[in-house]
Structure formats: structure tokens, C-alpha cells
Amino acid sequence: MAKKSVLLVDDDAVFVDAVSAVLETRYEVRTAANGREALAAIAAAPPDIVVLDVMMDHLSEGFDVARALRSSEASRAIPIVMLTGVDEVFNIRMEIGESWFPYDRYLQKPVAPETLLATLGELLG
Amino acid sequence: MRLTGTSGELHQVFAAELLDRIAWFVRLRWAAGAALLAFAAAAPRVGMPLEWGRVWLVAVVVLAYNAILHALLATWRRSDQADYRWLARCTLIQILIDLAALVLLVHLTGGAASPFLPFFTFHMVIGTIMLSARTMSAVAGAVWLACAALFLGGAGPLGHLPIPLEMRAAVLGALACALGFTVYLTDTVASRLKERGVRLFRLAEELRAKTAELEKLLAEMHAIEARKSHFMLLSAHQLRSPLATVKTSLDVLLQGYVDPASPRAAGLILGASERVEGLLRIVGDLLELAKLREAAQRAPWTSGVNLAQLAVDVADALTPVAEARQITLESSYDADVVLARGVPPDLEYAIENLVHNALKYSRPGGAVHVQVRRSGEFGVLEVRDQGIGIPPEFLADLFVEFARAPNARRHTAEGTGLGLAIVKEVAEAHGGRVEAESRLDEGSTFRLLLPLHGGRTQDPRVTKSERRVTAFSE
């Protein structure tokens, strides 16, 4: 069976490299450094799951990507894991007026490698 | 007391008060008219001279013009054009009519022997309170003359009692004294009260102005606090992200996800080390900022600080950085820009920060111009670049801790978001300020304005509110 694919989106190249090393043990890993690259990569070839940082160039760039994914028929079913340095409460505060949180899991950095693998394993079945 | 040299608003307050008093005066007159009618009806029945019954005539006149005044008062209140002088004139006319009625009343009720004579003093009191002592002295004189003419002129037929001339003269003398003293005493008390009123009003006015100023300051502070807490939250990300990267890299290495001997492992270690360096820079800047805020500079105040020399030193030190980035670093200096007092290491830190920023946000091939000049009482250090610029909506937050414009973030990961907050703090500690102008994609100009003779003489926290950081966009 072919490996499932993960798109890892984060603007910190070192973090991306470290997490990639973990994910590569089970998945085919692609990476993007910002929201624009992420959407382009998904449009080119939809991954099985997306792991998103929240704050990149813009404060809530990760959420923008997640919303774009959920708004499109083609990408609606792709599970989304937020993996980010800010806590969920802060994000909810920034998103005041937004009752729709378009993600499946919220993990705060730093996350233990086994936790990340377990979360992805659960979402991908 | 006349209201000379008082503000228009004060005049309005007095006008409003005068209007209230006129209203009170009108109410009082209703009572007086009614009392007169009662008197006219009762007098002949209780053995007073029959002629005193004619007092009803005066009562009717008084009630009639009071009705007119009552109607006018309602219009004045509505019209809201309560000009003090005009109202004072109306009051004077009322008092004159009242007094004329009173003279007539005295005339009808026995002249020098009239029981109504004491009522003159009553009007003198009211008049002096409402108008002025000078006006009322003249009025008193006129009243006295009218009485004298009546008492001495032998207008006997109108019910005057047969009183000897000497007695009438004595009554006139007493009347003169009574009128004069009433005006004088009332004025003494009333003018003191009026003065106090004016002082109170001025105080209230000052208080209002101060309160408004304080409220404005408070609102400003709230806004700054709100922005600060916003950026503090951002700083959580700024601190946590590199820490998370370090932790994850170490976990990945320790748990054997990457071969320790591989180039990838070396890359992770190098990356973690870089992140730690960045964290150290942030912590260093935070400490710097805290120290400046606590007014505990790294170095003591020095007299005769040559701003141009500091700028030359900074430019020399940063020339290699400029060359490495292929940026031309130009400079021009006025030789005699010397601050009376200053903390050289702090100033150097601020200048370095501005020049370094200019280099950091310039594109290869661009130029950065550093200029030191004298402008009036200020030494001005200007750093101009042709770099990426600052989004206009971000200019206001430029000097707030941890604030970094999105385009700055995109341009370079380097930068703690604290540099400009430190520059601002240094400028303010020197009694100066920092300004920024920018056009997106065309470049920015930062200007450090430091007073040549106004180094700090007091605690910076005391004078902080007097200084303003101006951030504006062209």
C-alpha cells in the first residue's frame, strides 16, 4: 500500500526539517513555508492530511488556509491538524466573531514526536 | 461688582443666575400685589385713613405689569439669548417701576408718616445684589429726591398727615441714611460673595479642563495598554516558536529519528543553535528595555556628547555589514552637533539600531544615508533608506514592543521586535523623540531628535506625558 501523504506548513525551516524527520518514518512528506505555497501545493496534488502553523506572514494565516480548504469542494474532506506556538485560547480571541474553527485537532508546539504520529494515525485511520 | 474682564462663559453663568433672580422677583411681586390689595380692603375698616383705600390702584398697576413681566420671562427663558447686560437693564427698569410704585404708595399713605417707607430698603438690597452698588446709589438718590419733593413740596391733599416740617426733614434724613447704608452694606456682602462665585467658577472651569485632559490621557494610555497586551501575546509566539523548534529538534535527535552522524542531524543542531541565539537576542533586548525604563542606564551621564562622532563610529562599525549586503552606506555630518548631556552607549545603541534596521530592510544595490545636523535647539540624526518601507497602517505601532510589520517579518526572520521600542526609550530619556516616515516599497526615514541643551534633569517618568512620539506617514 502506498504511503499516505502529509503537507506540513510552517515558516520555520528548522522546525519543518525536524518534524519532517519524524513524519517521514510513516508518511510521504511535502512542505510549504506559507499559506500561498500551501494552497498551491494542495491544488497541485491534494495530500491526505495537512499540518498547519497559525502565525506565518500574517497573524492568522494558518486559519485562512484552513478556511480556504474547507470552503472548497475538492479539499473539504482533508483532515487538518493545527500545530502552532500560540495557545488555542489566544487564537479564539483573535478570531472573535468566528464560531467556525475549521480544524480537526489543535496541538501546541512543542509536541512530542509520538503524540504527533498518534494524532495523525488516528485521523488517517 | 461689575463683570469686567470675565470670560464670555462666566457672563453666561451670571446671566442665567440673573434670570433666576428675576423669576424670583416676579414671584415675590405677586405676593406684594396681593398683600397690597388686602391692605387696601382692610385699611379703612380698621380705622386707618379712608384715603388709604386708594392703594388698590397701586396694587392693580403692580399686578398688571408683573403679569407682563411673567409672560416676558417665559419668552426670555425659551429664547436662550440671555445676554447679561441686557438682562441687567431689564432688572433696572423693573426696580425703577417698583420704586415708582412704592413712591406713589408712600404718597397715597401719608408721605413722611407712611408705613411703607421701610420697603425702600428692601428694594435697595435686591437691587444691589442683582445690579451694582453704583447704579443703586444713583437710584437711591433719585428715590430720595422724589420723596423730598413729595414730603417738602406740601402736596397735602393726598392723605398726608399733618406733620411738622422739622419732623419731615428728620424722616428724610433718616431715609437718606437708611438707603445709603443699605446699599453700602449689601454691596460689601454681595460683592464678596460674587468674587467668591467668580473664583469658584474659574476653579470649576480649570477643573473641567484638567479633567478633560486627564480623561484624554487615560484613554490614550488605555489604547497603548491594549496594543501592548496584544503585542505581548504576539511575543508569546516570538519566544515560544524558537523554543519549540529547539525542543523538537533535540527530541528528534535524541529519539533517533535522524542519524546523529548525518548532515541532516548537523543541520538540526545548527538550526537549534541559531534559534537559541535569537532567543538570547530577544532576552537581551528585553533586559535593555527594562533597564532603560528603570532609568538605570548602562553608563553614567556624560557632558558634551558629540552626536556626529557617535554616528561616524556606528557607520564605521556597520560598513562591513553594508558591504556584505551590497548596500551603499553614505553619510553627512555637521561637525558641531554636541549634546550638553547624554549617555553615549545608549545613544550609540539607538543609532546602531536605526542604521542596522535601514541596512536590514534595504534591498541589495540600495543606499542608506545617515545624516547628523543641527536644527534649532535640536540635534537631528536622520537615517534614510530605499528599502521595503512600512505599511501605513503599521506606522502607529512601530515603536510598541514586539511589533513587527508583516512585510518586515517576510523580509527577514532576524529581529526581535524590540529595537525601535528601545530607540524610543533612549530618545525620551534624553528629552527627545523619534519620528518615522515611510512609503511602502520606496523606503523609510527615521529621525532621532535630541535637545542640544535639554538633557535629562528629572526623572523621565515624571515628564513622560510631556513628550510625544510622533509617527506619521507622508
Short mmCIF file of all heavy atoms in Angstrom, two decimals, chain A residues 12-15 17-22 24-25 53 55-59 84-86 90 93-94 108-114 117, chain B residues 229-230 233-234 236-237 240-245 247-249 251-252 255 257-258 264 267-268 270-272 274-275 406-407 409-410:
data_model
loop_
_atom_site.label_atom_id
_atom_site.label_comp_id
_atom_site.label_asym_id
_atom_site.label_seq_id
_atom_site.Cartn_x
_atom_site.Cartn_y
_atom_site.Cartn_z
N ASP A 12 9.09 28.15 9.79
CA ASP A 12 10.39 27.93 10.41
C ASP A 12 11.03 26.70 9.78
O ASP A 12 10.62 25.56 10.04
CB ASP A 12 10.18 27.72 11.93
CG ASP A 12 11.50 27.57 12.68
OD1 ASP A 12 12.50 27.18 12.04
OD2 ASP A 12 11.51 27.85 13.89
N ALA A 13 12.07 26.93 8.96
CA ALA A 13 12.68 25.85 8.18
C ALA A 13 13.26 24.76 9.07
O ALA A 13 13.17 23.57 8.74
CB ALA A 13 13.76 26.43 7.27
N VAL A 14 13.84 25.14 10.21
CA VAL A 14 14.44 24.14 11.09
C VAL A 14 13.35 23.26 11.69
O VAL A 14 13.48 22.02 11.74
CB VAL A 14 15.26 24.83 12.21
CG1 VAL A 14 15.89 23.79 13.12
CG2 VAL A 14 16.31 25.74 11.62
N PHE A 15 12.25 23.90 12.10
CA PHE A 15 11.14 23.14 12.66
C PHE A 15 10.58 22.17 11.61
O PHE A 15 10.31 21.00 11.91
CB PHE A 15 10.05 24.09 13.14
CG PHE A 15 8.91 23.41 13.82
CD1 PHE A 15 9.01 22.98 15.14
CD2 PHE A 15 7.72 23.17 13.13
CE1 PHE A 15 7.96 22.35 15.76
CE2 PHE A 15 6.66 22.52 13.75
CZ PHE A 15 6.79 22.11 15.07
N ASP A 17 12.11 20.86 9.14
CA ASP A 17 13.05 19.76 8.92
C ASP A 17 12.94 18.71 10.03
O ASP A 17 12.90 17.51 9.77
CB ASP A 17 14.48 20.32 8.85
CG ASP A 17 15.42 19.32 8.21
OD1 ASP A 17 14.95 18.51 7.38
OD2 ASP A 17 16.62 19.33 8.55
N ALA A 18 12.85 19.21 11.30
CA ALA A 18 12.78 18.29 12.43
C ALA A 18 11.50 17.46 12.39
O ALA A 18 11.52 16.24 12.55
CB ALA A 18 12.87 19.07 13.74
N VAL A 19 10.38 18.13 12.15
CA VAL A 19 9.10 17.42 12.12
C VAL A 19 9.04 16.47 10.91
O VAL A 19 8.50 15.36 11.00
CB VAL A 19 7.92 18.40 12.13
CG1 VAL A 19 6.60 17.69 11.95
CG2 VAL A 19 7.92 19.19 13.44
N SER A 20 9.62 16.92 9.81
CA SER A 20 9.65 16.06 8.62
C SER A 20 10.34 14.74 8.94
O SER A 20 9.90 13.67 8.53
CB SER A 20 10.41 16.74 7.47
OG SER A 20 9.71 17.88 7.06
N ALA A 21 11.44 14.86 9.68
CA ALA A 21 12.20 13.64 10.03
C ALA A 21 11.31 12.65 10.77
O ALA A 21 11.42 11.44 10.58
CB ALA A 21 13.41 14.03 10.89
N VAL A 22 10.42 13.17 11.61
CA VAL A 22 9.51 12.30 12.35
C VAL A 22 8.45 11.71 11.40
O VAL A 22 8.22 10.50 11.37
CB VAL A 22 8.80 13.07 13.48
CG1 VAL A 22 7.75 12.20 14.16
CG2 VAL A 22 9.82 13.59 14.48
N GLU A 24 8.41 11.41 8.20
CA GLU A 24 8.92 10.59 7.10
C GLU A 24 9.00 9.11 7.46
O GLU A 24 9.05 8.26 6.58
CB GLU A 24 10.32 11.09 6.68
CG GLU A 24 10.24 12.27 5.70
CD GLU A 24 11.57 13.02 5.63
OE1 GLU A 24 12.59 12.49 6.11
OE2 GLU A 24 11.56 14.16 5.11
N THR A 25 9.00 8.80 8.77
CA THR A 25 9.05 7.40 9.17
C THR A 25 7.79 6.66 8.73
O THR A 25 7.80 5.46 8.58
CB THR A 25 9.21 7.26 10.70
OG1 THR A 25 8.11 7.93 11.32
CG2 THR A 25 10.52 7.85 11.18
N ASP A 53 0.74 25.55 10.70
CA ASP A 53 1.10 26.54 11.71
C ASP A 53 0.09 27.69 11.58
O ASP A 53 -0.46 27.90 10.50
CB ASP A 53 2.53 27.04 11.42
CG ASP A 53 3.06 27.96 12.51
OD1 ASP A 53 2.52 27.92 13.63
OD2 ASP A 53 4.01 28.71 12.24
N MET A 55 0.51 31.27 12.90
CA MET A 55 1.14 32.56 12.59
C MET A 55 2.28 32.37 11.62
O MET A 55 3.30 31.78 11.95
CB MET A 55 1.71 33.18 13.86
CG MET A 55 0.72 33.94 14.68
SD MET A 55 1.65 34.95 15.83
CE MET A 55 0.58 34.89 17.23
N MET A 56 2.08 32.88 10.42
CA MET A 56 3.20 32.88 9.49
C MET A 56 3.41 34.34 9.09
O MET A 56 3.66 35.16 9.95
CB MET A 56 2.93 31.92 8.35
CG MET A 56 3.01 30.46 8.86
SD MET A 56 2.70 29.18 7.64
CE MET A 56 0.92 29.18 7.51
N ASP A 57 3.28 34.66 7.81
CA ASP A 57 3.42 36.08 7.43
C ASP A 57 2.35 36.91 8.12
O ASP A 57 2.60 38.00 8.59
CB ASP A 57 3.27 36.23 5.92
CG ASP A 57 4.52 35.77 5.21
OD1 ASP A 57 5.50 35.45 5.92
OD2 ASP A 57 4.53 35.72 3.97
N HIS A 58 1.16 36.37 8.17
CA HIS A 58 0.07 37.07 8.83
C HIS A 58 -0.30 36.34 10.11
O HIS A 58 -0.01 35.16 10.23
CB HIS A 58 -1.15 37.18 7.90
CG HIS A 58 -0.83 37.94 6.66
ND1 HIS A 58 -0.62 39.30 6.67
CD2 HIS A 58 -0.64 37.53 5.40
CE1 HIS A 58 -0.33 39.69 5.45
NE2 HIS A 58 -0.33 38.64 4.64
N LEU A 59 -0.96 37.07 11.00
CA LEU A 59 -1.23 36.52 12.32
C LEU A 59 -2.06 35.24 12.26
O LEU A 59 -1.86 34.35 13.05
CB LEU A 59 -1.96 37.56 13.17
CG LEU A 59 -1.13 38.77 13.56
CD1 LEU A 59 -1.90 39.64 14.52
CD2 LEU A 59 0.19 38.32 14.18
N THR A 84 0.93 24.65 16.42
CA THR A 84 1.35 26.05 16.47
C THR A 84 1.83 26.48 17.86
O THR A 84 1.55 25.82 18.86
CB THR A 84 0.17 26.94 16.00
OG1 THR A 84 0.57 28.28 16.09
CG2 THR A 84 -1.06 26.71 16.83
N GLY A 85 2.56 27.57 17.87
CA GLY A 85 3.19 28.04 19.12
C GLY A 85 2.26 28.78 20.05
O GLY A 85 2.53 28.92 21.23
N VAL A 86 1.16 29.29 19.49
CA VAL A 86 0.25 30.04 20.36
C VAL A 86 -0.87 29.15 20.85
O VAL A 86 -1.26 28.21 20.18
CB VAL A 86 -0.35 31.26 19.63
CG1 VAL A 86 0.68 32.36 19.54
CG2 VAL A 86 -0.86 30.87 18.28
N PHE A 90 -5.77 31.99 22.76
CA PHE A 90 -5.33 33.18 22.04
C PHE A 90 -5.89 33.21 20.63
O PHE A 90 -6.37 34.22 20.16
CB PHE A 90 -3.80 33.23 22.02
CG PHE A 90 -3.24 34.37 21.22
CD1 PHE A 90 -3.78 35.65 21.35
CD2 PHE A 90 -2.19 34.18 20.36
CE1 PHE A 90 -3.26 36.71 20.63
CE2 PHE A 90 -1.66 35.23 19.63
CZ PHE A 90 -2.20 36.49 19.77
N ARG A 93 -9.42 34.10 20.68
CA ARG A 93 -9.56 35.54 20.91
C ARG A 93 -9.34 36.34 19.64
O ARG A 93 -10.01 37.31 19.37
CB ARG A 93 -8.53 35.98 21.94
CG ARG A 93 -9.16 36.41 23.22
CD ARG A 93 -8.11 36.48 24.25
NE ARG A 93 -7.49 37.78 24.26
CZ ARG A 93 -6.86 38.25 25.31
NH1 ARG A 93 -6.80 37.54 26.40
NH2 ARG A 93 -6.31 39.42 25.28
N MET A 94 -8.36 35.92 18.88
CA MET A 94 -8.09 36.64 17.64
C MET A 94 -9.20 36.46 16.63
O MET A 94 -9.40 37.27 15.76
CB MET A 94 -6.78 36.14 17.02
CG MET A 94 -5.56 36.53 17.83
SD MET A 94 -4.08 36.58 16.82
CE MET A 94 -4.32 35.16 15.80
N GLN A 108 -0.27 22.07 20.47
CA GLN A 108 0.58 23.21 20.74
C GLN A 108 2.05 22.80 20.68
O GLN A 108 2.43 21.75 21.19
CB GLN A 108 0.24 23.78 22.12
CG GLN A 108 0.67 25.22 22.23
CD GLN A 108 0.15 25.86 23.51
OE1 GLN A 108 -0.80 25.35 24.11
NE2 GLN A 108 0.77 26.93 23.91
N LYS A 109 2.85 23.63 20.04
CA LYS A 109 4.30 23.38 19.98
C LYS A 109 4.91 23.59 21.36
O LYS A 109 4.48 24.52 22.05
CB LYS A 109 4.95 24.37 19.02
CG LYS A 109 4.69 24.16 17.55
CD LYS A 109 5.46 25.26 16.82
CE LYS A 109 5.15 25.30 15.34
NZ LYS A 109 5.82 26.44 14.69
N PRO A 110 5.91 22.89 21.78
CA PRO A 110 6.45 21.73 21.07
C PRO A 110 5.61 20.49 21.36
O PRO A 110 5.08 20.34 22.45
CB PRO A 110 7.84 21.59 21.70
CG PRO A 110 7.69 22.14 23.08
CD PRO A 110 6.63 23.20 23.02
N VAL A 111 5.51 19.63 20.36
CA VAL A 111 4.72 18.42 20.55
C VAL A 111 5.67 17.22 20.48
O VAL A 111 6.63 17.22 19.70
CB VAL A 111 3.59 18.35 19.50
CG1 VAL A 111 4.16 18.18 18.10
CG2 VAL A 111 2.60 17.26 19.83
N ALA A 112 5.43 16.25 21.34
CA ALA A 112 6.30 15.07 21.34
C ALA A 112 6.09 14.31 20.03
O ALA A 112 4.96 14.20 19.57
CB ALA A 112 5.98 14.19 22.53
N PRO A 113 7.18 13.80 19.43
CA PRO A 113 7.05 13.09 18.14
C PRO A 113 5.97 12.01 18.18
O PRO A 113 5.16 11.92 17.26
CB PRO A 113 8.44 12.50 17.94
CG PRO A 113 9.35 13.43 18.65
CD PRO A 113 8.59 13.93 19.84
N GLU A 114 5.94 11.23 19.28
CA GLU A 114 4.96 10.12 19.30
C GLU A 114 3.52 10.64 19.36
O GLU A 114 2.61 10.05 18.79
CB GLU A 114 5.26 9.15 20.46
CG GLU A 114 5.22 9.76 21.85
CD GLU A 114 6.57 10.33 22.29
OE1 GLU A 114 7.39 10.72 21.40
OE2 GLU A 114 6.79 10.42 23.50
N LEU A 117 2.61 11.61 15.81
CA LEU A 117 2.36 10.41 14.99
C LEU A 117 1.03 9.77 15.37
O LEU A 117 0.27 9.35 14.51
CB LEU A 117 3.52 9.42 15.15
CG LEU A 117 4.83 9.84 14.45
CD1 LEU A 117 5.96 8.88 14.80
CD2 LEU A 117 4.63 9.93 12.93
N SER B 229 -0.70 44.77 25.27
CA SER B 229 -1.04 43.40 25.62
C SER B 229 -1.20 42.56 24.36
O SER B 229 -0.87 41.38 24.36
CB SER B 229 -2.28 43.35 26.50
OG SER B 229 -3.38 43.83 25.81
N HIS B 230 -1.65 43.21 23.29
CA HIS B 230 -1.74 42.49 22.02
C HIS B 230 -0.35 42.02 21.60
O HIS B 230 -0.17 40.85 21.23
CB HIS B 230 -2.33 43.41 20.95
CG HIS B 230 -2.34 42.83 19.58
ND1 HIS B 230 -3.20 41.81 19.23
CD2 HIS B 230 -1.59 43.10 18.49
CE1 HIS B 230 -2.97 41.49 17.96
NE2 HIS B 230 -1.99 42.25 17.50
N LEU B 233 1.05 39.20 23.61
CA LEU B 233 0.58 37.90 23.14
C LEU B 233 1.39 37.45 21.93
O LEU B 233 1.75 36.28 21.82
CB LEU B 233 -0.91 37.98 22.80
CG LEU B 233 -1.83 37.99 24.02
CD1 LEU B 233 -3.25 38.32 23.62
CD2 LEU B 233 -1.79 36.66 24.74
N LEU B 234 1.67 38.41 21.07
CA LEU B 234 2.50 38.07 19.92
C LEU B 234 3.86 37.59 20.38
O LEU B 234 4.45 36.67 19.82
CB LEU B 234 2.69 39.28 19.01
CG LEU B 234 1.53 39.71 18.14
CD1 LEU B 234 1.99 40.79 17.19
CD2 LEU B 234 1.01 38.52 17.35
N ALA B 236 4.54 35.98 22.93
CA ALA B 236 4.48 34.58 23.36
C ALA B 236 4.89 33.70 22.19
O ALA B 236 5.68 32.76 22.33
CB ALA B 236 3.08 34.24 23.82
N HIS B 237 4.38 34.08 21.03
CA HIS B 237 4.72 33.32 19.83
C HIS B 237 6.20 33.50 19.50
O HIS B 237 6.90 32.54 19.18
CB HIS B 237 3.86 33.79 18.66
CG HIS B 237 4.05 32.97 17.42
ND1 HIS B 237 4.77 33.44 16.35
CD2 HIS B 237 3.62 31.75 17.09
CE1 HIS B 237 4.77 32.51 15.40
NE2 HIS B 237 4.07 31.48 15.83
N ARG B 240 8.02 31.42 22.08
CA ARG B 240 7.69 30.02 22.15
C ARG B 240 8.11 29.27 20.88
O ARG B 240 8.56 28.12 20.96
CB ARG B 240 6.19 29.88 22.35
CG ARG B 240 5.83 28.48 22.71
CD ARG B 240 4.41 28.42 23.18
NE ARG B 240 4.23 27.17 23.86
CZ ARG B 240 3.50 27.02 24.93
NH1 ARG B 240 2.90 28.07 25.44
NH2 ARG B 240 3.37 25.85 25.48
N SER B 241 7.96 29.94 19.75
CA SER B 241 8.27 29.28 18.48
C SER B 241 9.72 28.78 18.42
O SER B 241 9.93 27.60 18.14
CB SER B 241 7.96 30.20 17.32
OG SER B 241 6.72 29.85 16.80
N PRO B 242 10.69 29.67 18.67
CA PRO B 242 12.07 29.16 18.62
C PRO B 242 12.33 28.09 19.67
O PRO B 242 13.03 27.12 19.40
CB PRO B 242 12.94 30.40 18.86
CG PRO B 242 12.03 31.50 19.22
CD PRO B 242 10.65 31.12 18.85
N LEU B 243 11.71 28.26 20.85
CA LEU B 243 11.90 27.24 21.90
C LEU B 243 11.35 25.90 21.43
O LEU B 243 11.97 24.86 21.63
CB LEU B 243 11.19 27.68 23.19
CG LEU B 243 11.98 28.60 24.11
CD1 LEU B 243 11.09 29.07 25.26
CD2 LEU B 243 13.20 27.86 24.65
N ALA B 244 10.18 25.96 20.80
CA ALA B 244 9.56 24.74 20.32
C ALA B 244 10.45 24.08 19.26
O ALA B 244 10.60 22.84 19.24
CB ALA B 244 8.18 25.05 19.73
N THR B 245 11.04 24.90 18.41
CA THR B 245 11.92 24.36 17.38
C THR B 245 13.13 23.66 18.01
O THR B 245 13.50 22.56 17.61
CB THR B 245 12.38 25.50 16.44
OG1 THR B 245 11.23 26.05 15.83
CG2 THR B 245 13.33 24.99 15.38
N LYS B 247 13.33 22.42 21.04
CA LYS B 247 12.88 21.21 21.74
C LYS B 247 12.60 20.07 20.75
O LYS B 247 13.04 18.93 20.94
CB LYS B 247 11.62 21.55 22.54
CG LYS B 247 10.90 20.37 23.14
CD LYS B 247 11.52 19.93 24.45
CE LYS B 247 10.64 18.90 25.15
NZ LYS B 247 11.30 17.62 25.30
N THR B 248 11.91 20.38 19.68
CA THR B 248 11.56 19.35 18.69
C THR B 248 12.82 18.80 18.03
O THR B 248 12.96 17.59 17.86
CB THR B 248 10.60 19.94 17.64
OG1 THR B 248 9.48 20.50 18.31
CG2 THR B 248 10.12 18.88 16.68
N SER B 249 13.75 19.69 17.69
CA SER B 249 14.99 19.24 17.06
C SER B 249 15.73 18.28 17.99
O SER B 249 16.23 17.22 17.56
CB SER B 249 15.90 20.44 16.73
OG SER B 249 15.24 21.32 15.87
N ASP B 251 14.45 16.53 20.49
CA ASP B 251 13.69 15.28 20.62
C ASP B 251 13.94 14.36 19.45
O ASP B 251 14.14 13.16 19.61
CB ASP B 251 12.18 15.60 20.69
CG ASP B 251 11.76 16.04 22.08
OD1 ASP B 251 12.61 15.95 22.99
OD2 ASP B 251 10.61 16.49 22.24
N VAL B 252 13.90 14.94 18.26
CA VAL B 252 14.08 14.16 17.04
C VAL B 252 15.45 13.48 17.04
O VAL B 252 15.58 12.31 16.70
CB VAL B 252 13.90 15.07 15.81
CG1 VAL B 252 14.43 14.41 14.55
CG2 VAL B 252 12.43 15.42 15.63
N GLN B 255 15.65 10.85 20.10
CA GLN B 255 14.83 9.64 19.92
C GLN B 255 15.19 8.87 18.66
O GLN B 255 14.48 7.94 18.26
CB GLN B 255 13.35 10.01 19.95
CG GLN B 255 12.93 10.52 21.34
CD GLN B 255 11.54 11.13 21.35
OE1 GLN B 255 10.72 10.81 20.49
NE2 GLN B 255 11.28 12.00 22.31
N TYR B 257 15.26 9.66 15.41
CA TYR B 257 14.56 9.80 14.13
C TYR B 257 15.54 10.18 13.02
O TYR B 257 15.25 10.03 11.85
CB TYR B 257 13.46 10.86 14.22
CG TYR B 257 12.24 10.38 14.98
CD1 TYR B 257 12.06 10.70 16.32
CD2 TYR B 257 11.28 9.59 14.34
CE1 TYR B 257 10.96 10.25 17.03
CE2 TYR B 257 10.17 9.13 15.04
CZ TYR B 257 10.00 9.47 16.38
OH TYR B 257 8.92 9.02 17.07
N VAL B 258 16.67 10.74 13.44
CA VAL B 258 17.68 11.15 12.46
C VAL B 258 19.01 10.54 12.91
O VAL B 258 19.33 10.51 14.10
CB VAL B 258 17.80 12.68 12.42
CG1 VAL B 258 18.97 13.12 11.57
CG2 VAL B 258 16.51 13.31 11.89
N ARG B 264 21.92 15.88 8.03
CA ARG B 264 20.62 16.39 8.49
C ARG B 264 20.66 16.68 10.00
O ARG B 264 20.13 17.69 10.46
CB ARG B 264 19.54 15.35 8.20
CG ARG B 264 18.17 15.92 8.36
CD ARG B 264 17.12 14.95 7.95
NE ARG B 264 15.86 15.64 7.73
CZ ARG B 264 14.75 15.01 7.35
NH1 ARG B 264 14.76 13.72 7.12
NH2 ARG B 264 13.65 15.70 7.19
N GLY B 267 22.46 19.77 10.55
CA GLY B 267 21.59 20.91 10.20
C GLY B 267 20.63 21.23 11.33
O GLY B 267 20.40 22.41 11.65
N LEU B 268 20.08 20.19 11.95
CA LEU B 268 19.14 20.42 13.04
C LEU B 268 19.84 21.06 14.24
O LEU B 268 19.29 21.96 14.88
CB LEU B 268 18.48 19.10 13.47
CG LEU B 268 17.42 18.54 12.51
CD1 LEU B 268 16.87 17.20 13.03
CD2 LEU B 268 16.26 19.54 12.35
N LEU B 270 22.56 22.89 14.16
CA LEU B 270 22.88 24.28 13.79
C LEU B 270 21.64 25.15 13.90
O LEU B 270 21.67 26.26 14.46
CB LEU B 270 23.43 24.30 12.35
CG LEU B 270 23.95 25.65 11.89
CD1 LEU B 270 25.23 25.99 12.64
CD2 LEU B 270 24.19 25.66 10.39
N GLY B 271 20.52 24.60 13.39
CA GLY B 271 19.26 25.37 13.43
C GLY B 271 18.84 25.66 14.87
O GLY B 271 18.45 26.78 15.20
N ALA B 272 18.97 24.65 15.72
CA ALA B 272 18.59 24.83 17.13
C ALA B 272 19.48 25.90 17.76
O ALA B 272 19.01 26.76 18.50
CB ALA B 272 18.73 23.50 17.88
N GLU B 274 20.95 28.35 16.24
CA GLU B 274 20.53 29.67 15.73
C GLU B 274 19.30 30.19 16.48
O GLU B 274 19.20 31.36 16.81
CB GLU B 274 20.18 29.58 14.24
CG GLU B 274 21.37 29.69 13.32
CD GLU B 274 20.96 29.36 11.88
OE1 GLU B 274 19.74 29.33 11.58
OE2 GLU B 274 21.86 29.12 11.09
N ARG B 275 18.36 29.26 16.73
CA ARG B 275 17.15 29.67 17.44
C ARG B 275 17.49 30.14 18.86
O ARG B 275 16.92 31.10 19.36
CB ARG B 275 16.15 28.52 17.51
CG ARG B 275 15.59 28.10 16.16
CD ARG B 275 14.78 29.23 15.53
NE ARG B 275 14.34 28.89 14.19
CZ ARG B 275 15.04 29.12 13.09
NH1 ARG B 275 16.21 29.72 13.16
NH2 ARG B 275 14.57 28.77 11.91
N PRO B 406 4.16 42.89 8.95
CA PRO B 406 4.19 41.62 8.19
C PRO B 406 5.27 41.60 7.12
O PRO B 406 5.95 40.60 6.93
CB PRO B 406 2.80 41.56 7.56
CG PRO B 406 1.95 42.43 8.41
CD PRO B 406 2.83 43.48 8.97
N ASN B 407 5.45 42.76 6.43
CA ASN B 407 6.45 42.74 5.35
C ASN B 407 7.87 42.64 5.92
O ASN B 407 8.77 42.10 5.29
CB ASN B 407 6.29 43.94 4.41
CG ASN B 407 6.56 45.26 5.09
OD1 ASN B 407 6.41 45.38 6.31
ND2 ASN B 407 6.96 46.26 4.32
N ARG B 409 8.57 40.94 8.69
CA ARG B 409 8.65 39.53 9.05
C ARG B 409 9.00 38.67 7.83
O ARG B 409 9.81 37.78 7.90
CB ARG B 409 7.27 39.10 9.55
CG ARG B 409 7.26 38.43 10.90
CD ARG B 409 5.84 37.97 11.13
NE ARG B 409 5.09 39.03 11.78
CZ ARG B 409 5.02 39.16 13.09
NH1 ARG B 409 5.65 38.32 13.86
NH2 ARG B 409 4.32 40.12 13.62
N ARG B 410 8.35 39.01 6.72
CA ARG B 410 8.59 38.27 5.48
C ARG B 410 10.01 38.47 5.00
O ARG B 410 10.66 37.57 4.52
CB ARG B 410 7.63 38.74 4.39
CG ARG B 410 6.44 37.84 4.18
CD ARG B 410 5.79 38.09 2.84
NE ARG B 410 5.41 39.49 2.62
CZ ARG B 410 4.29 40.03 3.07
NH1 ARG B 410 3.45 39.31 3.77
NH2 ARG B 410 4.02 41.29 2.82
#
